[in-house]
Amino acid sequence: MKKPTESLKYIIEILTPIHVGSGRELSSKYDYYLENGKVHVVNMESVIEALEGNDAAIKEFGREDFAIRKFLHDYSIKSDGYLLSWQNVKTESPAKNAQKGFPSSARLTWQEQLGKAFKASVPMEKADNALGLPRNIHEQIKTAFGKPYIPGSSIKGSIRTAILSELISQNPYLATRNLPRVVETNDRKGKFASSNVIKAYLGKNPNYDILRCLHIGDAYFASTDLCCKDVRWFNLQTSDRAGWRDMTTKKTGENCDVNGVHVEALKAGANASIDIQWDQFLLGDSKANKILEFKEKTGSFSSVISLADTMNDHAKRRLADEKLFFDRYKLNQLSLQHEALEKTISEDLAEGDFLMQIGWGSGWKGMTGGWMKSDQIEQVRTLYKLGKIIQKGEVICPVCGKKARPDNKSHGYSYCYKCKKSFPANIKEKMFEIFPKTRRIVFENGQPKYPFGWLKLSALGQKFGDVFLCCHFL
């Protein structure tokens, strides 16, 4: 007889835009064009099918002046595809806003000037083509049938991070003892730097991993739930000074009118369903449980209520931390967003519901759980050279005598862009004082609007006392 599995269906509601990337970039040359104020993403398979046997048309692909919209028009092709909501509104210039009572820049602190920069808004989003579209859009992951989704592995990964953070807060000594102290030869980039910490809390190998008890399905959305979002980098220059980083020029300034990237994202308000299951064979009084000792270690997520409590406690810590950050740098809209999310946890959740953050843009602390103290972060940073490294003094190219810059590909080397050569740099270095120093912010109409990746999971089922029951025999 197969063992019972406690299974519950949840409804996912997207609270702020979420991007889980496919690793592919859509190109304005081939993959999309503007149509009635929206981005039309072309189904290229339907285009190729319509051109079957037309060798002359097929040969046009790859030409320097190729444009998908003109191509479809010239050959009368009505392509399949989907539309992305697209906001590209020209707003008032700083000069007009200055006439409405903003104090002069000379009397403003740098933080107030930064605040004024996005209150004043900016011109239409920059692009390299006449249509005003971004050149490339990072694609949301989709099924083989083109349906956008959030993989269960992404959701489970975020749950795993929250559980690990909770366990570390209960017993921080284990984490301190298992942090790496030397760089392994097969892990110079720190990909497995946390492996010993994870093993100490979650299990010494996959067979003993307590997250074996939790199974999470994928969440499928409609193509109408997708939108195109403008993402820009808010970057700390020092602990007391910040700005907006232009990803084209690699320079940081106070004005938020900079080049970022564009992504396909699931938009706020989108909904989908997902199944979460608890393996009662491993959690119950089975022989396997006695060997693996799961029952003693899984209290933070072994039921609907305990999972929700663990996730909400972690979310509240993350939201409070981020709100303090945005308060400090006068990003009022972002501060209000985090305050509203905190309020949702405190006042608007039913029993068994919880908030979590997933996907690209959640940041280093979002991905790691944010449990490390400053001395632990410094230890890991020093080992793996994380974050920006500052060179004290100038490095001069020995060939041409021009100023060289740090070689990002080779630690301890500098690179001359004129000579196109790298050479050893015998110069003192220091780590940038802040880590992490960057936040990715979703913009709308030229203004910072959302943090990335927050969603709500609402449990469905019948209540009996303080637990939900919805059991299936699999």
Side-chain angles (χ1 to χ4, degrees):
M1 178 180 178
K2 294 184 178 180
K3 298 294 180 181
T5 298
E6 183 185 358
S7 177
L8 195 66
K9 190 172 290 293
Y10 283 77
I11 296 299
I12 288 182
E13 180 186 353
I14 306 299
L15 302 179
T16 69
I18 291 177
H19 172 71
V20 181
S22 68
R24 177 175 174 255
E25 285 190 6
L26 303 176
S27 167
S28 59
K29 190 172 183 178
Y30 299 105
D31 297 308
Y32 58 88
Y33 58 89
L34 196 64
E35 180 180 78
N36 299 324
K38 293 188 175 183
V39 175
H40 187 122
V41 182
V42 174
N43 182 335
M44 193 54 66
E45 289 184 7
S46 68
V47 174
I48 298 300
E49 187 176 332
L51 293 174
E52 187 176 1
N54 191 337
D55 294 338
I58 294 175
K59 286 180 180 178
E60 286 194 29
F61 282 91
R63 289 184 178 178
E64 189 174 342
D65 60 346
F66 182 85
I68 186 64
R69 187 176 190 180
K70 182 177 183 302
F71 180 83
L72 296 176
H73 178 268
D74 289 348
Y75 289 94
S76 302
I77 299 171
K78 191 173 182 179
S79 70
D80 296 328
Y82 56 92
L83 297 175
L84 298 176
S85 58
W86 166 250
Q87 293 181 322
N88 191 25
V89 180
K90 187 171 183 178
T91 53
E92 293 177 306
S93 68
K96 289 184 179 180
N97 271 312
Q99 297 171 5
K100 295 182 179 181
F102 282 108
S104 66
S105 296
R107 297 198 299 271
L108 295 177
T109 66
W110 75 267
Q111 290 169 314
E112 289 169 334
Q113 288 183 34
L114 186 64
K116 178 177 177 292
F118 62 79
K119 286 177 186 173
S121 196
V122 294
M124 293 180 73
E125 295 171 21
K126 293 183 176 181
D128 293 315
N129 58 68
L131 295 176
L133 285 171
R135 175 176 287 182
N136 297 298
I137 299 174
H138 293 262
E139 186 184 42
Q140 170 76 16
I141 192 170
K142 300 181 182 74
T143 67
F145 301 101
K147 201 169 187 178
Y149 73 104
I150 298 177
S153 58
S154 295
I155 295 173
K156 186 171 181 178
S158 185
I159 290 175
R160 185 185 188 87
T161 298
I163 291 170
L164 179 63
S165 181
E166 177 72 14
L167 294 175
I168 291 174
S169 70
Q170 295 170 7
N171 181 11
Y173 172 71
L174 265 182
T176 302
R177 192 176 70 183
N178 285 279
L179 279 174
R181 285 173 172 77
V182 296
V183 178
E184 301 293 338
T185 54
N186 61 344
D187 189 31
R188 296 193 182 279
K189 293 187 177 180
K191 186 176 180 180
F192 305 105
S194 62
S195 60
N196 287 336
V197 175
I198 292 172
K199 289 176 182 178
Y201 288 97
L202 302 184
K204 60 185 178 181
N205 61 46
N207 291 327
Y208 283 80
D209 191 327
I210 60 176
L211 268 297
R212 283 182 63 192
C213 306
L214 195 64
H215 308 284
I216 301 177
D218 298 333
Y220 299 99
F221 293 81
S223 59
T224 52
D225 293 325
L226 285 173
C227 58
C228 179
K229 289 300 180 187
D230 174 14
V231 185
R232 305 184 196 179
W233 272 248
F234 184 70
N235 196 40
L236 298 184
Q237 297 168 280
T238 68
S239 59
D240 297 321
R241 192 168 182 81
W244 299 95
R245 184 168 177 79
D246 192 300
M247 300 309 291
T248 301
T249 65
K250 305 300 180 184
K251 294 181 180 180
T252 300
E254 292 177 359
N255 199 320
C256 65
D257 180 16
V258 294
N259 292 300
V261 300
H262 288 79
V263 301
E264 278 189 332
L266 294 166
K267 59 189 177 184
N271 291 275
S273 64
I274 192 171
D275 291 314
I276 297 182
Q277 300 175 348
W278 289 264
D279 192 321
Q280 296 303 313
F281 175 73
L282 294 175
L283 289 171
D285 296 322
S286 65
K287 184 177 180 180
N289 180 280
K290 292 176 183 178
I291 296 172
L292 300 173
E293 299 178 340
F294 279 173
K295 197 170 185 179
E296 302 172 12
K297 303 175 183 177
T298 57
S300 59
F301 68 93
S302 57
S303 71
V304 178
I305 302 304
S306 64
L307 176 62
D309 289 344
T310 298
M311 296 304 298
N312 286 326
D313 287 344
H314 179 70
K316 283 188 282 189
R317 288 193 296 270
R318 289 276 304 121
L319 289 167
D321 184 48
E322 289 297 283
K323 183 180 183 301
L324 283 175
F325 176 88
F326 290 114
D327 279 341
R328 179 176 184 180
Y329 298 105
K330 310 298 182 185
L331 293 176
N332 298 330
Q333 177 62 31
L334 277 301
S335 180
L336 289 171
Q337 289 278 358
H338 285 84
E339 185 178 334
L341 291 168
E342 278 189 282
K343 188 176 179 181
T344 297
I345 296 175
S346 303
E347 301 178 9
D348 300 334
L349 293 185
E351 197 171 31
D353 298 354
F354 60 89
L355 264 59
M356 64 188 295
Q357 188 182 27
I358 70 164
W360 183 83
S362 56
W364 189 81
K365 286 189 175 181
M367 297 293 288
T368 62
W371 54 266
M372 282 195 283
K373 296 179 180 179
S374 57
D375 59 329
Q376 294 172 324
I377 292 176
E378 197 64 24
Q379 176 183 333
V380 174
R381 284 192 67 195
T382 303
L383 275 177
Y384 296 103
K385 308 297 180 185
L386 298 177
K388 186 176 180 180
I389 298 173
I390 301 172
Q391 289 187 342
K392 291 177 139 183
E394 291 187 353
V395 177
I396 303 301
C397 175
V399 178
C400 68
K402 299 291 185 181
K403 183 180 176 180
R405 295 180 181 179
D407 189 336
N408 295 327
K409 295 182 179 179
S410 301
H411 175 63
Y413 280 70
S414 287
Y415 186 80
C416 178
Y417 283 86
K418 182 178 179 181
C419 300
K420 309 296 183 186
K421 290 183 179 181
S422 183
F423 55 90
N426 297 319
I427 192 167
K428 290 184 178 180
E429 296 179 338
K430 68 174 183 176
M431 305 293 286
F432 189 73
E433 60 183 294
I434 299 196
F435 182 84
K437 65 184 182 70
T438 300
R439 303 294 192 281
R440 295 185 183 102
I441 309 299
V442 180
F443 272 59
E444 283 188 359
N445 301 333
Q447 297 189 23
K449 179 74 173 178
Y450 294 111
F452 255 115
W454 285 94
L455 55 81
K456 180 175 79 171
L457 281 88
S458 301
L460 299 178
Q462 293 179 294
K463 283 188 177 180
F464 294 90
D466 62 349
V467 295
F468 290 82
L469 292 180
C470 184
C471 295
H472 301 291
F473 288 85
L474 303 178

